[in-house]
């Protein structure tokens, strides 16, 4: 997982605001390599361990409502590359749910099983497959849909220097994001104008503090905050 040449990045990422973070990561190439190595080892190990639990969740999702077991959506990762994220489906299948970008905790489109899965983030277990393929990492900026990436400021594009992540310090601090959005009159406007900029401050700070040990700390903290 080595950095590409700065000149090979998409035009929108070749800004001085991004170069600052690029230079930081250039001095951490060894850490980036070990980050990818640990991602592969942990993802393969967890996939084997969680294969039966994921199978049970898949049956519950299928039994709870009609539709596919997995929800797949276009997201943006390293270098602005688009990929399809894997999640257990937590919404009823209809045009609105398939196009949903952000949701609140009381969203009527969420299924009964979906509410449970979202509460403890079990809907994200299939993202282990995204980690194995290299589209994601265990720790990194949560992958946004393309429409929100278009709202990025020049500095925010620096978060695309590293792979999108399953968890992050931002995810921990905003684990009640859906509850916050419940209070908004316009959910999408509140996300773009208030939540996204606030979250990006933590995401950019992560790049500055990045190390393999910091990643391990965030992973442990995620388990503590979500399950304990």
């Amino acid at each position: 997982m080595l950095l590409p040449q700065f000149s090979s990045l998409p035009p929108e990422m070749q800004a001085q605001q991004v170069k600052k973070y690029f230079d930081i990561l250039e001095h951490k190439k060894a850490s980036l390599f070990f980050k990818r190595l640990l991602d592969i080892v942990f993802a393969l190990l967890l996939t084997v361990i969680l294969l039966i639990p994921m199978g049970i969740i898949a049956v519950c999702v299928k039994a709870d409502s009609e539709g596919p077991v997995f929800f797949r959506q276009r997201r943006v990762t390293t270098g602005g590359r688009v990929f399809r994220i894997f999640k257990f489906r937590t919404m009823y299948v209809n045009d609105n749910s398939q196009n949903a970008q952000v949701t609140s905790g009381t969203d009527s489109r969420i299924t009964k099983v979906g509410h449970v899965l979202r509460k403890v983030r079990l809907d994200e277990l299939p993202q282990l497959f995204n980690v194995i393929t290299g589209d994601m990492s265990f720790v990194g900026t949560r992958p946004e849909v393309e429409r929100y990436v278009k709202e990025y400021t020049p500095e925010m594009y620096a978060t695309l220097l590293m792979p999108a992540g399953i968890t992050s310090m931002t995810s921990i601090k905003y684990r009640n994001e859906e509850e916050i959005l419940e209070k908004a009159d316009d959910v999408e406007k509140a996300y773009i104008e208030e939540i996204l900029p606030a979250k990006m401050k933590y995401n950019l700070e992560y790049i500055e503090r990045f190390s393999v040990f910091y990643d391990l700390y965030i992973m442990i903290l995620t388990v503590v905050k979500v399950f304990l």
Side-chain angles (χ1 to χ4, degrees):
M1 189 191 299
L2 298 180
L3 283 174
Q5 293 293 320
F6 188 76
S7 58
S8 68
L9 295 172
E12 62 270 19
M13 293 184 67
Q14 294 184 38
Q16 283 304 309
Q17 294 92 328
V18 176
K19 186 65 163 60
K20 167 189 171 182
Y21 296 95
F22 181 89
D23 290 342
I24 291 173
L25 292 176
E26 265 213 316
H27 292 90
K28 299 183 178 183
K29 287 184 176 180
S31 294
L32 288 171
F33 171 79
F34 283 110
K35 176 181 175 70
R36 178 57 186 154
L37 182 61
L38 290 175
D39 276 343
I40 295 173
V41 172
F42 285 162
L44 289 173
L45 182 62
L46 285 173
T47 298
V48 173
I49 294 173
L50 297 173
L51 201 56
I52 293 177
M54 285 196 289
I56 294 172
I57 292 174
V59 171
C60 292
V61 170
K62 197 69 176 177
D64 184 49
S65 60
E66 294 184 0
V69 169
F70 298 112
F71 171 67
R72 302 200 66 187
Q73 187 182 50
R74 288 166 61 90
R75 299 290 181 96
V76 182
T77 188
T78 322
R81 181 169 57 83
V82 175
F83 74 103
R84 287 193 175 275
I85 195 171
F86 275 101
K87 286 188 176 186
F88 282 119
R89 180 175 57 81
T90 59
M91 287 186 171
Y92 293 104
V93 176
N94 56 56
D95 292 340
N96 289 331
S97 68
Q98 295 307 301
N99 293 323
Q101 308 298 307
V102 291
T103 58
S104 64
T106 57
D107 199 311
S108 61
R109 297 168 297 186
I110 301 175
T111 64
K112 292 179 181 179
V113 170
H115 277 291
V116 177
L117 295 180
R118 283 170 174 252
K119 187 174 182 179
V120 289
R121 296 183 62 176
L122 291 178
D123 60 314
E124 297 181 5
L125 285 181
Q127 288 168 40
L128 288 171
F129 304 136
N130 290 124
V131 174
I132 292 171
T133 59
D135 291 326
M136 293 180 67
S137 173
F138 277 102
V139 180
T141 302
R142 288 297 298 158
E144 293 286 357
V145 296
E146 295 164 276
R147 66 186 293 181
Y148 293 143
V149 172
K150 292 178 181 178
E151 300 290 337
Y152 280 10
T153 63
E155 187 177 35
M156 288 179 184
Y157 277 105
T159 61
L160 299 180
L161 289 172
M162 299 179 73
I166 293 178
T167 189
S168 65
M169 191 61 73
T170 306
S171 299
I172 296 170
K173 292 183 178 294
Y174 279 86
R175 62 186 183 279
N176 63 337
E177 179 182 310
E178 292 185 349
E179 295 176 11
I180 297 174
L181 290 173
E182 282 179 17
K183 303 172 183 177
D185 295 327
D186 186 326
V187 173
E188 187 150 319
K189 182 178 180 182
Y191 183 77
I192 293 175
E193 296 182 1
E194 298 175 31
I195 292 181
L196 183 62
K199 289 167 66 174
M200 281 298 173
K201 290 180 181 179
Y202 291 109
N203 291 330
L204 292 169
E205 182 183 278
Y206 166 70
I207 296 177
E208 295 177 323
R209 298 184 62 182
F210 165 67
S211 72
V212 172
F213 292 109
Y214 189 49
D215 272 14
L216 292 173
Y217 167 72
I218 291 175
M219 290 167 67
I220 294 171
L221 190 60
T222 298
V223 173
V224 171
K225 293 294 185 181
V226 173
F227 296 105
L228 300 180

